[in-house]
Structure formats: structure tokens, C-alpha cells
Amino acid sequence: MDKDSPSHIRMLRRAEVQARLGIARSTLYAYLNKRSPSYLPAFPKPIRLGSTVGFIEHEIESFVVGLMQAREGAPEER
């Protein structure tokens, strides 16, 4: 089985996503808010888990990899 199979999907709580990305709660919610100037359409959407939300771990990882690839593909500043 690969890491994306149902038995290997891991949910991350909001606080863990914040810790992994090094961002504040308000920043996380700004990334998700379409009306915010900080809105990131590519940011993974949360999944409701009762009264809380979770994020799929591999979607967060893919988002970070995308940021790294964008950085590597960007022209260097002089």
C-alpha cells in the first residue's frame, strides 16, 4: 500500500499544522479566508471532525513541497 491509501491517511489537528508551518492561528485562518488579503487558494482545506477540524497530512506536505518548488523555480534576486 502507498502512503495515500485509506489505511495510511493521517489527520493533523489545527495546532499541529500551525506548529509544522510555524504560523499563528490567525494566519492559518487568513490562508483559508477568501476575503483575506493573505488568502492562499492552494492551501489545503480542512475537514470537519465533529466540533473541530483536521487537515490531511499529505495535503499539507504537498503544499509545502509546492512552495519549495516555486522558490527553486523563481528567478534569483540580485
Side-chain angles (χ1 to χ4, degrees):
M1 288 188 182
D2 64 16
K3 73 173 191 152
D4 296 336
S5 68
S7 64
H8 288 87
I9 293 176
R10 182 161 181 256
M11 300 296 291
L12 304 176
R13 301 283 296 267
R14 178 193 47 80
E16 189 171 355
V17 172
Q18 288 175 236
R20 285 189 181 202
L21 299 179
I23 59 175
R25 181 171 57 180
S26 60
T27 302
L28 177 64
Y29 287 126
Y31 288 172
L32 296 168
N33 183 352
K34 291 180 181 180
R35 288 183 244 148
S36 169
S38 299
Y39 175 63
L40 297 176
F43 195 81
K45 304 302 181 245
I47 294 175
R48 272 260 174 237
L49 298 171
S51 62
T52 188
V53 296
F55 294 83
I56 298 175
E57 182 178 40
H58 75 265
E59 291 180 354
I60 296 295
E61 291 170 352
S62 295
F63 173 75
V64 173
V65 168
L67 293 176
M68 292 167 47
Q69 290 171 343
R71 175 193 65 192
E72 292 168 3
E76 293 184 30
E77 293 182 20
R78 297 185 185 240

